[in-house]
Amino acid sequence: MALSATEEQLMQLLWKQERAFMKDLIEAYPDPKPATTTIATLLKRMQDKNFVDYTQYGRSREYFPLVKKTDYFSKHVNGLIKNFFNDSASQFASFFTQETDLSEKELEELRGIIDNQLKKRKQ
């Protein structure tokens, strides 16, 4: 299941903090800050989707992610490649390198990353 844009924004804050009470999450938002009821609703929906859970301390809840950030975004990137690039990583890479404003240095860094992955797989 995927997160909505507002849920994803809240999840980003929770990934950054690792564990947080609602007041901590609200404080992390830029102004204008969302209402407590809005955050409570988002957290409940995210809990129903098994993205977050909480530990109860009296009347307070400390929320924590159940899904790792890397796992979540890996699924998104793989879905993007599958749905928009005919399940072809090379089509995605071609689009990415041609349609973004990458500098020569950034392209060289990408080449280095790919070369390192190739070396690891050959070992």
Side-chain angles (χ1 to χ4, degrees):
M1 219 181 281
L3 295 172
S4 69
T6 52
E7 291 167 345
E8 197 170 285
Q9 182 183 17
L10 179 55
M11 195 71 191
Q12 289 280 9
L13 297 173
L14 191 54
W15 278 320
K16 191 172 187 175
Q17 296 185 29
E18 296 179 12
R19 298 184 77 87
F21 292 95
M22 190 180 309
K23 67 178 180 58
D24 302 322
L25 293 168
I26 293 170
E27 283 178 18
Y29 271 90
D31 288 327
K33 302 209 182 289
T36 302
T37 53
T38 302
I39 299 302
T41 300
L42 291 172
L43 287 167
K44 174 68 175 124
R45 288 193 334 218
M46 292 160 62
Q47 186 183 4
D48 291 344
K49 293 178 179 181
N50 292 317
F51 278 92
V52 299
D53 205 356
Y54 63 86
T55 303
Q56 190 83 36
Y57 296 103
R59 294 180 59 206
S60 298
R61 294 176 176 177
E62 184 181 38
Y63 292 91
F64 56 90
L66 294 175
V67 175
K68 291 179 185 173
K69 185 177 184 177
T70 53
D71 293 342
Y72 179 74
F73 286 103
S74 175
K75 280 188 178 181
H76 273 286
V77 170
N78 287 326
L80 183 75
I81 291 169
K82 183 177 182 176
N83 295 324
F84 292 98
F85 298 98
N86 300 318
D87 213 7
S88 169
S90 58
Q91 281 184 19
F92 169 73
S94 175
F95 176 85
F96 178 73
T97 56
Q98 290 175 18
E99 300 299 324
T100 56
D101 212 9
L102 296 174
S103 68
E104 188 172 334
K105 182 181 180 218
E106 290 169 319
L107 288 168
E108 288 292 338
E109 288 172 357
L110 285 174
R111 179 187 288 163
I113 292 167
I114 291 168
D115 287 344
N116 284 336
Q117 283 299 317
L118 288 170
K119 285 177 190 173
K120 285 181 185 178
R121 291 186 182 186
K122 288 179 181 177
Q123 293 175 351

